[in-house]
Structure formats: structure tokens, C-alpha cells
Amino acid sequence: MLLKPKTSILQKIYLPDIIIGLWITIKNFFFGKKVTIQYPEERRNYSSRLRGMHYIKTINGVENCTACMLCPTVCPAECIHIVAGERPDKEKYPISFEVDVLRCCFCGMCEEACPKDAIKLSNIYEMSMLKRSVYEKDFLLEQRGHK
Amino acid sequence: MDFIDWIILGIKIGALLIALLSVAPVMSWVERRGSALMQNRLGPNRVGPFGLIQPIADAVKFMFKEDPVPGHVSKFYYVLAPLIAFIPALTTFSVIPFASSIEVMGRVVRFQVADLNVGFLYIFAIAALGIYGVVVAGWASNNKYSLLGSVRSSSQMISYELSMGLSVIGVIMIFSSVNLNDIVRDQGNVLFHLGQFAIPKWGIFVQPLGFLIFLITVFAETNRLPFDLPEGDSEIIAGYHLEYGSMKFAMFMMAEYINMATVSGLLATLYFGGWQMLPGMHTLLESFSLSGSLSGITYEWVRIVFEMFSFVIKVAFFMWFFVWVRWTLPRFRFDQLMGFGWKVMFPLSLVNILLTGIFIKVM
């Protein structure tokens, strides 16, 4: 059944409502608070819990990671690839540690699984790259973020 | 007409063409910035101060883009259509006077490209040609949406052009002329005195209903927003110019903006006294001449500048009004559009003629 809304005679001749509408738009034009964030100069304040670009925490230049393989195991996107090795100062360490960011879903489970506080997600969200982005170990060892 | 007359005519045509062609870029900036500010955004503000250079960037983009002709279109008419839309748009402004006349070295120079006796009937005739561009574009594009757009456009044009023509008859009855110069000159007279203020005989005061009808039908005529069914982005993508790109698309856009300028000029001329000076400017000019700082030919030129300024202000207001309404009102549904055109606007314009007749008889 078609229900026709009840309209008064003033609404039927449109004009008063149109004038009200025009008033609203011009009010916004002059006094409306602009919500645009002018990106390169202004930035949005994200929560400190934001999960952004990965890094591996180091202490005195030695990576925390012991190549325990917990993070590639828990990773739902299967984007972490670790080759483990041995060296004089460290019993077990990752020879290569790659994060395929194109597959990564930034769920943060690697961070939660890590027993050594090694892999972490910083709060850097500007991650565009000019080439296919697989984060190598050298890149991951740069300390970024403040977590 | 001797040689100097031709030169004067050439200068007038050139100046008017430059003004009209620069309307489109300026209006595209006004439209984008205006809509952004109304929607609590900022709009283009990166290219130049306040984004003022943005139209030039747009123009460069339009010119250097690839200009493909889709394989499925009727090529001849596809290329012809933007021209059919664009040329009438450019020619219609020629009969609108943008200032009164001045006498220089024994010659009367009119600030109007063509002082035609038929006046605004010429505008209606040529503006109606512009619709062929839209129809041909939609048909030649060989695309359902385009065809729908052009069909809508033609039906809308027929139903609204009728009320538009009828609403102007009231103006003809009041000023007993179709010559725009005569109409504007007549609007300088005083209608009545309200205390110490003299109400001029502007069209809006003698033809309020006619003005309203004309204003609404003009929106339909230029395919602007409450009546932009031929384009209807959310229904038929972009309507008739769906298959067009780069400069051909830009020509449709420019035609739309130039049409807006023309009808704004017509609105100002018929209903807001054309180049008659805005309230207060006359007193200012009088005080100049009384103090003796202006005399003779200088006074005349200052008067012309004042008149042009008044005309430009009036036109600019209506251009802004077009943008303002566009970002305020939603689009009509097609049956509502037709119902509104035939059941409301058409009878109202007839009633307006009747009322005008009574008004003339009584006065």
C-alpha cells in the first residue's frame, strides 16, 4: 500500500523549504567547521596501539630474535619466512628474516606470539614502496616506532 | 558601416568571447570550492593561492589527454555533437547589453554586440538549438545510458521551454518591447516611492511570479541540478556525455557554463535592471560629478564602468545562485519533473499572463 506522507500547504509549494535548505548550505559555507585534514602538513592522531610497519627489536645492536619459528607458525597470512642459523655470540639466530608485506594482514599475532619481544609492529603507517615490498632482515633491524 | 565600425564590432566580439570562454574555468573553480565549503570540506587548494590556478591545470589536462573515439559510435555525429552544443552557447550572449551607450567622436558606441529588434526571442531560438548537441551526442554514442539521457533532455526541454516562453510574455506586456536595450532602459524608471526610497521599475517588482517561473525553467533549460536528469550521475552514469573524453567533454562542460552565464545575463537583464546601476552607485556618481572631479567624456566613461560593474555583479550573483542551488537540492524523479512542468509551471505561467493583463489595466 502506498502511504502518502501528510504535507502541509507550505511544504507542497516547496519554496519555504527550499529557502530553509539554501540557508543551511550557505551557513555551512561560511561557518561550517571544515573536517578536512590537510595530509602532508597535518596528520591524524592514531591510537598508540596502531599496528603499522614491522621491525625487530635489538639490544646493543643484537637482535632479540632467536629464530624460534613461533611467528611464522602463528601467522595466518603465512607471510613470515625465517632461515635459522648459528654464530659464535648467539646460539640460534635468523640468517634471513623476511616479511612479505603484500600478504601481511597486520593482525599483530606475531607480536603477541613472540616470546623474546623481537618482532614488533610500529605505528608507522606510511608504507608505500617503489618496488615489490618484502622486508628483508637489514630493513627490519632498523629501530622504528616507540613501542 | 565603415571601417571603424567594423573595428569596434571586432573589439566587442573579442572581449565578449574572452569573457565567456573564461567563465567556464572560473566557474569550475567556484563550483568545486563552493561545493566543498558547503559540504564542510576544503576543495582544491593546492595549485596556486586558494587553488585559483586549478582551472589552468584542468585545462592542460583536458588538452593533453588522449582523445579516443570509441569503436561503436557513429563517428561523424559523435564529433559533431560537442560543436553543436558549444557554438549556440557562444552566440546567444551577443544580444544582451552589458552597459548603455556612449558617444565617442560623433559615434554612438553601444555596449552590446548585436542590437537586434527581436531581442531575447533570438536567445530562445538559438538556445533551443543547443539541445540538438545533447540529442545528437546521446544518439551517436550508441549507448543505452547516453540515449536515455538525450531522450530525457529533449522531453524536459519541450516541457519547460513552453513555460519559459510564456513567463517572459509578462515582461513583454509590461515593457511593450522585446528589444533588450529598450527593456533595460525602461527599468530605470521609478515604479513608486516608498518613503524616501525610490523603487525602480525592475522586472522583479512588476513580475514577481513571472520571475519565479522564469528562474525555475531556466534551471531546467541549462540542465542544472534539480533538473539535471539528462546527466543524472547516479541513474544513468553521465547521460549524454558518457562516451566523451578530453576536450570533447570539456566542450560540453564549457557549453553548460556559458549557457549558465547567458541565462544569468538574461535574468539580470529582464528582471534586475540589466546595466541599471545598483542602489547607491547613482548617488556616488552624482556626488563625483557635483564635486567637479569628473566632467565631460571622463564622466561618461566612469558611468559606463559603473554600469558594467553593476551588470557583472548581477550576473555573478545568479551564477553563484546556480551553484548554491545545485548543492542544496536533490534531483527530481522523472515523473515528478514532468508533472511539475506540465501541471504546475505551465498553468502558473498562463495565470501570470492573466495577472499581468489585469495589472496593466488597473495601473
Side-chain angles (χ1 to χ4, degrees), chain B residues 170-315:
Chain B
V171 178
I172 304 178
M173 286 163 79
I174 295 271
F175 299 111
S176 14
S177 172
V178 287
N179 185 317
L180 287 170
N181 241 328
D182 292 350
I183 291 175
V184 174
R185 199 158 286 133
D186 205 2
Q187 291 186 54
N189 298 337
V190 174
L191 187 63
F192 58 85
H193 287 276
L194 199 71
Q196 51 176 318
F197 297 107
I199 301 293
K201 199 183 171 188
W202 284 5
I204 176 87
F205 297 120
V206 284
Q207 282 285 307
L209 185 60
F211 167 70
L212 201 62
I213 297 166
F214 189 75
L215 187 67
I216 293 167
T217 49
V218 139
F219 273 90
E221 192 77 6
T222 49
N223 296 335
R224 292 290 295 185
L225 196 78
F227 305 99
D228 78 333
L229 287 108
E231 297 174 35
D233 321 51
S234 50
E235 300 161 17
I236 49 173
I237 313 180
Y240 61 91
H241 52 55
L242 174 57
E243 298 282 355
Y244 286 87
S246 76
M247 210 54 211
K248 296 203 199 75
F249 170 74
M251 277 169 93
F252 278 119
M253 285 302 280
M254 279 163 89
E256 183 186 324
Y257 284 122
I258 293 170
N259 277 331
M260 263 166 68
T262 310
V263 294
S264 301
L266 202 56
L267 273 165
T269 307
L270 292 180
Y271 294 100
F272 281 83
W275 43 256
Q276 298 290 348
M277 284 179 224
L278 293 169
M281 286 178 84
H282 224 285
T283 347
L284 193 67
L285 194 64
E286 295 284 288
S287 68
F288 275 151
S289 78
L290 282 181
S291 66
S293 54
L294 293 174
S295 58
I297 195 75
T298 339
Y299 172 80
E300 293 290 299
W301 277 111
V302 170
R303 179 176 59 86
I304 290 292
V305 168
F306 271 41
E307 283 170 357
M308 270 192 198
F309 179 74
S310 309
F311 181 71
V312 168
I313 289 286
K314 286 168 190 170
V315 171

Side-chain angles (χ1 to χ4, degrees), chain B residues 23 31 82 90 98-99 121 128 183 198 204 256 282 304 314 320 335 343 351 355 359:
Chain B
V23 154
E31 183 115 51
L90 275 182
F98 39 90
L121 297 183
I183 291 175
I204 176 87
E256 183 186 324
H282 224 285
I304 290 292
K314 286 168 190 170
W320 166 245
D335 59 323
K343 292 182 198 157
V351 166
L355 288 179
F359 175 77

